[in-house]
Amino acid sequence: MKKTLLALTVMGASGVAFAASNVTLYGVIDTSVVFTHDGGAKDAKNVVDMQSGFRNGSRWGIKGVEELGNGYAVGFILEDGFNSDDGSGAQKMNGAFSRESKLYINGGFGQIGFGRLGTLANGAQSNSILSGWALGTSYQTQGTLTSFMKNNGRANNAIAYVSPSFAGLTVHAMYSNGTKTDTAEWAKNDHYYGLGLAYQLGGYRNTLIFESADNKGGNGETAYNVNLGLGYNFGAITPQFAYQYAWQDTQYKQHVFGLSAAAPVAGGTVKAGVKYLLGKNETDTFKAATGEDKYRSLSISAAYEYPLSKRTTVWGFASWADGDKGYSADNLKNLKAAGDTLKTANFDGYVFSVGMTHNF
């Protein structure tokens, strides 16, 4: 009896401590069946497989915050990905929290965070402000806006600042001292720079982002991109517009346009959009593989999402993409054969999927 009372007392004390530190365990489990016709595949063109994270990356995480008083607080986010179809880790890197590892402080000045962070136009993680596309970064392969865009992914050794809101307008800035490592001389590390504005007031959700990555460990040529996202929620429908201009002087220049909308239908939500990509690739490798220096692709996507509960959603998705010039089906095969790492189904082919997403 004494042991039972002692155990209950310890459990109670632990519960109080846990509540005081305000730590939360959270996550997403996303599993689907996907049919892919890859117009640019070298071998098999039709694949049916079970996938994890097709709509939302499967993940688990721990987050917490400690109130310091006088409007100040210290918090953290530790998040890792996994594959729900086989239980393996999702990120191709070492480390227990490869999606995000962030320590931050909030106050009247805004927020300053440190660690491994998603970049401003990454479309994922707590510092991303990418907008303008109804399907967001969901529906990998063709549905996500980032399938056409140049993207900086996640950055190690990063520091990010978010300003207080000024009548709905916030300023976002980020710097990485080494997107992979920062143990070399400063001039030899790969640096990332990002600056963004976000306006969210009433039905408006508008963002403007400028990013650069200097590629010191690669070809040494800085890559730039500018992203614009516009949207307004009318209630019955939320139309959105996205645009990116990305360039690397002797490598490529490209434009991406996206027009989309979301609307409530029969208790769920319909999301649909069309994306258009056009660009010019100046590299000898691209020209040798395709006989072209230009590339284009048009993609149309639609999804229906139905909430079974507050935490569980079932959905269906369909998308079609058609490439031209350097991104025609034959040229995508040539690029694959030449060792290019492009996900060719992004630019030519079609995809159907049904699945379920559960949030906890």
Side-chain angles (χ1 to χ4, degrees), residues 2-130:
K2 290 181 180 179
K3 289 181 180 179
T4 302
L5 290 172
L6 178 61
L8 290 172
T9 301
V10 171
M11 290 174 64
S14 299
V16 170
F18 188 79
S21 60
N22 193 21
V23 175
T24 303
L25 174 68
Y26 69 94
V28 177
I29 304 175
D30 180 280
T31 308
S32 60
V33 176
V34 183
F35 171 86
T36 303
H37 175 88
D38 187 346
K42 289 191 295 181
D43 302 312
K45 295 180 65 174
N46 297 310
V47 177
V48 179
D49 64 334
M50 179 179 288
Q51 292 190 19
S52 171
F54 185 81
R55 176 175 177 259
N56 298 121
S58 295
R59 74 202 75 163
W60 75 279
I62 308 168
K63 59 185 177 181
V65 62
E66 180 188 14
E67 299 294 338
L68 303 178
N70 297 319
Y72 290 91
V74 171
F76 69 90
I77 301 172
L78 300 173
E79 186 176 293
D80 195 26
F82 63 91
N83 294 312
S84 62
D85 55 336
D86 62 11
S88 63
Q91 305 296 320
K92 296 180 180 179
M93 63 168 290
N94 296 324
F97 299 106
S98 53
R99 285 180 62 94
E100 185 167 23
S101 178
K102 176 181 176 180
L103 180 65
Y104 65 87
I105 182 167
N106 286 335
F109 58 86
Q111 181 189 98
I112 299 178
F114 314 86
R116 175 170 168 80
L117 310 174
T119 55
L120 297 186
N122 171 253
Q125 310 315 131
S126 60
N127 282 96
S128 173
I129 57 171
L130 185 68

Side-chain angles (χ1 to χ4, degrees), residues 55 133-136 139 235-240 260-273 301-307 313-318:
R55 176 175 177 259
W133 181 245
L135 291 92
Y139 306 108
I237 189 170
T238 305
Q240 300 184 53
S260 62
V265 175
T269 303
V270 170
K271 298 178 178 179
S301 303
Y304 180 69
E305 302 170 353
Y306 185 82
T313 301
V314 292
W315 47 266
F317 171 80

